[in-house]
Amino acid sequence: MGGADVDLGPAKQQCVIAVLLLTPGRSVPVGTLVDRIWGAYPPRASNAVAPYVARLRRVIAAAGGDPGLLQFVSGGYRIDVAAEQVDLHRARRLAAAAREAQRAGDDKSSAGLLRQALAGWEPIALAGLPGDWAARVREALHRERLDLLADLAEARLRLGFADAVVEELRPVAAEHPTAERVVAALMRALSAGGRVPEALECYARLRAAVSDELGSEPGAAVRELHVELLRGNEPASNRVPGPAVPAQLPADVAGFTAREDELRRLDEALGDDRPVVLAGTAGVGKTTLAVHWAHRVRHRFPGGQLFVNLGGFGPVESVLPPEEALRGFLEALGVPGPRIPRELPARAAMFRTLVAGRRLLIILDNARDADQVRPLLPGTPGSVVAITSRDQLLSLVAIEAARLVNVGLLTQAEARTMLAWRLGDQRVDAEPAAVRRLGDACAHLPIALAIVAARAAGRPDLPLASLADQLTAGDRFDVLDGHDASSNVRMVFSWSYRSLKPAAARLFRLLGLHPGPAFTATAAASLAGHPVDQVLDELVQAHLFVPAATGRYEQHDLLRAYAAELAGTDERDALHRLLDHYLHGASKAMRLNHTPSVLTLPPAQPGTVVDEIADDSAALAWLIANDSVLTRLIRLAGQAGFDGHAWRLARARDHFAVRQGRWNDLVELDQIGLRAARRTGDRAAEAELLRSLARALLMLGDHDGARRHALTAAGHFHELGEQTSEAQTHHFLADIFDRMGQPRTALRHARTALRVYEAIDDRAGMARALNATGWCHAVLGEHRLAVEHCARALAFFREIGDRDGEAATQGSLGYACEQSGELDAAIGHYNQSVRLCREIGERFYLADTLTHLGDCLRAKGDRRAARAAWSEALDVFDELDHPAQDLRVKLAAASE
């Protein structure tokens, strides 16, 4: 049960599309998809989701749609459809519009919108989908639908349709006896029609059902309604409003978008009396979210709403002491000024006394720490408190059991929606690429997007592309200045920075040297020159970094740019340690990952922490996790004058990049390393990078460039007496001439490489040259010689434990057998090559071998297995951004 095999059942296929449609336009990590589809029994395959995605693409294409809607992005899959095309999100938009209409007093429009929302809402969501995740979502959506039914009933009740509401809600209440809002709406409708005894019977049934199913009592709101009915009072919702109550909420933000998950978690807080902490980085929109949610639910709080800005993160003089916040609350609750006590404990006690028995909504905005918040918390159940802060306020979470809701950055789709609301769909639709650039340059941070939108709105003649150019070419913070403290992104960040302790402030500055996008504690320790675990915890709590994958941390681009400003240019020793950390780690990973070359390094600087890498699988994981950092560091080292690091990092990465098929950036980075090697005068390094550059150019189709650079490298190695490297280069020249359609010339270079390897008794080199020689014989149709040379190569590779070479040789044997018509033998060799490619993380050759495997299976008449092999190959090629047009043609023909 622990490792179920992958099947292509329709239920799991539907699960994939359901997960993606719940967050359209947002990448869902493969691990998350696996967890939601298979739960506690994940499959053994490394990416079990790929076959389902491949099948869904074909289903979409067969229906006349664009299969490109399903994309592999940043380690996950994304479906590029507008939220309006998904029934759930369309219904939620209508429900949000209904709430806006209700707040404006337009119950007729509110009821109409709610009817539209419910018409498109299936009574049973995700029907037929198995698994715990589907069950949880189904239950959550079921509760959400019941709330919409209750909203509709209350709107119609206010319009005077009490009898109709009774008829509509009776069957719903009978089917869902613990749905408190539905039952409460039915009780109000019965009371409005003069049928109070029936309303009391409804409450009795609700109380019994809640007791039986949940072992508790109904919530405070429906209990209060029951008491009013017992006293003979008309329910508050049916009466003309009484005396004024506090209504301190700021105005809601028009056009509020996204944040559905955070809003759902806030709604959950209505079911208990724990405080909620909305924590997030500066400018992420915590206050906007809290205020929007408060307006959405304020009708549930007959005692009113209290709001205070505690000024916790701003100029020091703006921090509001809790006693001053309490004074404002007490005055809002009707306490005359002279009666308000002077001391904080007395004020807090009076506040707790006044709110006892009342149901208030209290928003404590911009809290600095838990001590500022605690005196403002009610002492009895009934009221709900929402707190916003840049700190996670873990003390409140630990002691007061507060709910913690982390507020993250907007997605690309959400950022586009925000800009469209402020600038209009026509302007945004006219420049989609510029809109994406604006979102990226603003790090999808709401405050930055709002400032950019304001600038664009003030210049309707200015193309959005020009504004994006200003953000990316110049000083972003000059553009992101709204001309007051609260809308100046640099100033907003500074308030978080100034609140840090000295050690945390120093590490924040130093991490501005790290090129991102993620770093480890060991990288941070290398920058600082000492352990930093406790300091990192402080930065995480302050939302200046967020934990990402295990042991890693992330920081959005704008905060990283701000940290880089603070770091300045006087931290060269720290940058040296950082480069040493990654160079020594990459070199160690390179050796363990069976790279056929050696890199000699100078000692690391004192204070540098080098990662422990246990084995080849850990080495591959390290290279995958750190590759984007390595690419940026190579550029940074070349610019900052660390030439030795630049060329060595390029060398350390190149074999991994080849395996992963990352040809485009390999050309750029090898050129940086080549220039750095030439500046240092290291001819051997220059020759190595020339050969690596030639390999990248070859894979991009520049055969002449590849040949020219490789021949130059071979000449350098010959002059230096580097026989091993010279042989390796002749081996590579064999590959170049093979791809140029000159197999005889290729065979000559392969034999030259073999002779040199034999002369120096390099068994690993001999194995590679034997495989190359065998391949050339196979291309020339000399089957016996091909198998003979490849068999000798395979024996050598197994003897020295080189799985990379073994994978390549199995592929060569497969090709030789395929060309001679021995299809069963070819399939066996290709399967062995595929297995080894998966183990070592070789991506491009995996896809290429799967393509050949599919060809053999098709020739054997097994169309289904052929399609499966081709589909997986195409998924890999798509991830590598390789066109694979011939493969697409094969798949299209096989589907007919």
Side-chain angles (χ1 to χ4, degrees):
M1 295 288 287
D5 288 319
V6 177
D7 66 79
L8 293 177
K12 288 187 173 62
Q13 186 173 307
Q14 292 166 15
C15 254
V16 172
I17 200 70
V19 174
L20 297 180
L21 285 174
L22 279 174
T23 55
R26 185 184 303 174
S27 179
V28 180
V30 170
T32 300
L33 282 163
V34 169
D35 180 62
R36 292 180 177 179
I37 297 167
W38 284 277
Y41 304 106
R44 286 185 287 266
S46 59
N47 185 356
V49 180
Y52 295 97
V53 173
R55 174 171 286 191
L56 285 168
R57 285 176 177 148
R58 293 195 293 276
V59 171
I60 292 171
D66 178 9
L69 292 174
L70 277 175
Q71 295 187 7
F72 184 88
V73 181
S74 302
Y77 289 95
R78 179 182 75 201
I79 185 165
D80 283 329
V81 299
E84 189 65 20
Q85 294 178 267
V86 182
D87 54 1
L88 172 64
H89 301 300
R90 187 166 55 249
R92 283 175 169 168
R93 182 188 60 78
L94 290 166
R99 286 190 287 270
E100 292 291 336
Q102 188 271 320
R103 281 194 285 272
D106 188 354
D107 285 318
K108 184 176 181 180
S109 295
S110 178
L113 289 164
L114 285 166
R115 282 196 184 281
Q116 291 181 53
L118 286 162
W121 194 299
E122 291 294 329
I124 302 177
L126 308 184
L129 291 191
D132 292 342
W133 173 82
R136 290 195 303 272
V137 173
R138 190 179 299 117
E139 176 60 25
L141 294 178
H142 169 68
R143 291 196 301 269
E144 193 173 343
R145 181 174 180 273
L146 290 177
D147 278 343
L148 290 184
L149 286 168
D151 288 340
L152 175 60
E154 290 167 359
R156 285 173 52 73
L157 181 57
R158 288 190 294 272
L159 291 168
F161 298 108
D163 291 340
V165 169
V166 170
E167 295 308 311
E168 291 166 359
L169 287 191
R170 273 195 190 279
V172 180
E175 185 178 357
H176 308 289
T178 62
E180 294 190 13
R181 286 201 59 213
V182 170
V183 173
L186 177 57
M187 290 168 65
R188 291 191 186 96
L190 288 166
S191 169
R195 300 153 71 178
V196 174
E198 292 181 59
L200 295 174
E201 289 175 9
C202 282
Y203 179 79
R205 288 193 293 273
L206 169 69
R207 184 179 183 188
V210 170
S211 177
D212 288 346
E213 292 188 25
L214 307 176
S216 62
E217 289 289 316
V222 73
R223 291 202 310 270
E224 291 170 8
L225 173 61
H226 178 239
V227 170
E228 288 190 39
L229 294 176
L230 287 173
R231 291 173 176 168
N233 296 332
E234 184 182 5
S237 60
N238 301 342
R239 295 197 302 266
V240 175
V245 296
Q248 295 186 331
L249 293 179
D252 196 3
V253 174
F256 183 90
T257 57
R259 302 299 190 196
E260 291 299 326
D261 184 58
E262 291 87 348
L263 288 169
R264 176 186 59 77
R265 296 184 64 188
L266 281 167
D267 285 342
E268 292 172 355
L270 299 173
D272 60 30
D273 301 299
R274 292 186 291 160
V276 184
V277 177
L278 289 169
T281 192
V284 82
K286 302 177 294 296
T287 301
T288 301
L289 170 62
V291 170
H292 175 74
W293 173 75
H295 277 283
R296 198 171 81 161
V297 300
R298 64 182 180 179
H299 63 282
R300 300 191 181 195
F301 297 91
Q305 314 98 40
L306 296 172
F307 178 93
V308 63
N309 180 1
L310 296 173
F313 292 88
V316 174
E317 62 272 13
S318 73
V319 179
L320 188 70
E323 53 267 32
E324 289 304 310
L326 282 168
R327 171 178 280 280
F329 282 176
L330 292 171
E331 289 175 345
L333 293 169
V335 180
R339 288 189 52 208
I340 296 176
R342 294 182 121 189
E343 302 298 325
L344 174 61
R347 286 186 183 183
M350 177 179 278
F351 173 69
R352 289 193 296 270
T353 300
L354 284 175
V355 301
R358 301 180 65 171
R359 187 161 175 78
L360 290 99
L361 177 59
I362 303 169
I363 307 296
L364 307 179
D365 185 42
N366 200 12
R368 187 177 186 86
D369 52 38
D371 289 339
Q372 192 185 22
V373 167
R374 282 197 174 96
L376 309 179
L377 300 179
T380 54
S383 296
V384 170
V385 181
I387 306 151
T388 74
S389 179
R390 299 184 193 182
D391 190 275
Q392 291 182 326
L393 303 183
L394 295 181
S395 175
L396 280 182
V397 176
I399 298 174
E400 278 77 15
R403 292 173 176 262
L404 177 59
V405 178
N406 287 312
V407 182
L409 302 172
L410 298 177
T411 65
Q412 188 176 84
E414 291 166 347
R416 186 257 173 221
T417 302
M418 180 177 175
L419 291 173
W421 189 90
R422 292 169 180 257
L423 301 176
D425 283 319
Q426 184 175 0
R427 189 172 180 187
V428 168
D429 288 342
E431 296 186 77
V435 168
R436 286 192 294 272
R437 288 176 60 208
L438 286 173
D440 292 342
C442 292
H444 301 135
L445 187 70
I447 188 174
L449 288 163
I451 295 169
V452 164
R455 284 185 173 272
R459 288 284 309 277
D461 59 320
L462 181 70
L464 297 181
S466 296
L467 188 54
D469 289 342
Q470 292 177 31
L471 276 169
T472 53
D475 186 336
R476 277 191 280 186
F477 292 117
D478 287 345
V479 180
L480 298 175
D481 182 359
H483 303 299
D484 63 47
S486 62
S487 61
N488 180 309
V489 174
R490 183 187 277 115
M491 183 67 71
V492 169
F493 288 168
S494 75
W495 294 333
S496 290
Y497 171 69
R498 292 171 188 169
S499 70
L500 297 173
K501 296 175 184 176
R506 175 177 181 265
L507 182 59
F508 178 78
R509 293 193 305 272
L510 290 176
L511 283 163
L513 301 172
H514 193 285
F519 64 91
T520 61
T522 52
S526 294
L527 272 168
H530 56 73
V532 292
D533 289 347
Q534 290 185 342
V535 180
L536 279 173
D537 287 343
E538 181 181 346
L539 292 169
V540 168
Q541 289 181 39
H543 276 277
L544 292 170
F545 297 99
V546 294
T550 304
R552 304 183 77 78
Y553 301 86
E554 288 181 346
Q555 182 182 48
H556 67 70
D557 286 347
L558 285 176
L559 269 174
R560 188 159 58 246
Y562 177 66
E565 277 191 357
L566 298 175
T569 58
D570 58 346
E571 302 288 358
R572 197 164 180 84
D573 289 344
L575 180 56
H576 197 153
R577 290 192 299 271
L578 180 71
L579 289 166
D580 278 354
H581 164 79
Y582 281 106
L583 176 57
H584 282 261
S587 177
K588 185 184 294 186
M590 180 182 80
R591 291 195 304 273
L592 288 169
N593 203 228
H594 304 295
T595 303
S597 58
V598 177
L599 187 59
T600 303
L601 303 181
Q605 291 291 298
T608 302
V609 182
V610 180
D611 287 328
E612 295 294 331
I613 305 175
D615 51 31
D616 57 349
S617 62
L620 176 60
W622 191 96
L623 289 165
I624 290 172
N626 291 290
D627 188 55
S628 60
V629 178
L630 294 177
T631 61
R632 298 178 191 201
L633 280 175
I634 293 167
R635 299 185 186 108
L636 176 60
Q639 294 164 0
F642 287 92
D643 287 333
H645 288 86
W647 74 256
R648 287 185 176 94
L649 280 167
R651 282 281 325 283
R653 177 187 178 268
D654 67 1
H655 190 68
F656 168 77
V658 168
R659 281 181 171 174
Q660 296 289 307
R662 301 179 183 182
W663 312 114
N664 286 303
D665 66 11
L666 186 58
V667 169
E668 177 205 353
L669 299 174
D670 278 346
Q671 287 173 335
I672 292 172
L674 180 59
R675 289 193 293 271
R678 284 172 173 164
R679 285 193 295 267
T680 64
D682 192 321
R683 293 287 301 284
E686 179 184 348
E688 292 281 1
L689 286 156
L690 279 167
R691 186 175 62 203
S692 178
L693 178 58
R695 181 165 46 189
L697 291 171
L698 176 66
M699 296 308 297
L700 291 173
D702 185 357
H703 296 164
D704 286 338
R707 176 182 54 79
R708 186 171 62 254
H709 286 308
L711 287 170
T712 302
H716 285 357
F717 287 130
H718 182 74
E719 292 171 11
L720 293 166
E722 296 280 354
Q723 289 181 288
T724 300
S725 296
E726 182 183 359
Q728 290 171 347
T729 309
H730 280 291
H731 177 196
F732 176 52
L733 280 162
D735 189 20
I736 293 175
F737 283 105
D738 172 55
R739 290 173 185 267
M740 293 177 72
Q742 301 178 38
R744 287 293 175 194
T745 306
L747 181 59
R748 187 170 69 251
H749 281 284
R751 286 173 170 166
T752 299
L754 181 57
R755 283 197 301 272
V756 177
Y757 282 132
E758 288 174 338
I760 60 177
D761 195 27
D762 182 340
R763 296 178 75 78
M766 289 163 59
R768 289 190 292 273
L770 282 165
N771 178 43
T773 303
W775 172 267
C776 292
H777 282 303
V779 172
L780 289 164
E782 298 164 352
H783 175 256
R784 182 185 60 79
L785 289 171
V787 171
E788 176 186 318
H789 283 83
C790 288
R792 288 181 61 201
L794 192 61
F796 278 144
F797 281 130
R798 286 174 173 168
E799 177 186 325
I800 62 179
D802 187 339
R803 291 186 295 162
D804 198 332
E806 187 179 348
T809 306
Q810 290 283 9
S812 298
L813 283 165
Y815 180 76
C817 293
E818 181 184 0
Q819 294 302 105
S820 66
E822 300 175 36
L823 295 180
D824 288 334
I827 290 170
H829 288 302
Y830 283 143
N831 276 323
Q832 288 296 316
S833 182
V834 165
R835 176 183 61 80
L836 289 161
C837 285
R838 293 191 204 282
E839 291 176 2
I840 63 177
E842 167 62 65
R843 303 296 287 156
F844 184 87
Y845 194 66
L846 168 65
D848 188 59
T849 307
L850 283 166
T851 304
H852 284 290
L853 176 60
D855 294 343
C856 290
L857 291 167
R858 179 67 182 87
K860 289 274 293 180
D862 193 342
R863 295 169 59 110
R864 181 176 180 182
R867 283 198 304 271
W870 288 336
S871 295
E872 185 180 353
L874 185 58
D875 281 340
V876 177
F877 279 136
D878 284 346
E879 291 172 24
L880 299 177
D881 199 25
H882 185 80
Q885 192 56 42
D886 291 345
L887 182 56
R888 295 179 196 277
V889 172
K890 288 179 185 178
L891 268 170
S895 301
E896 293 175 355

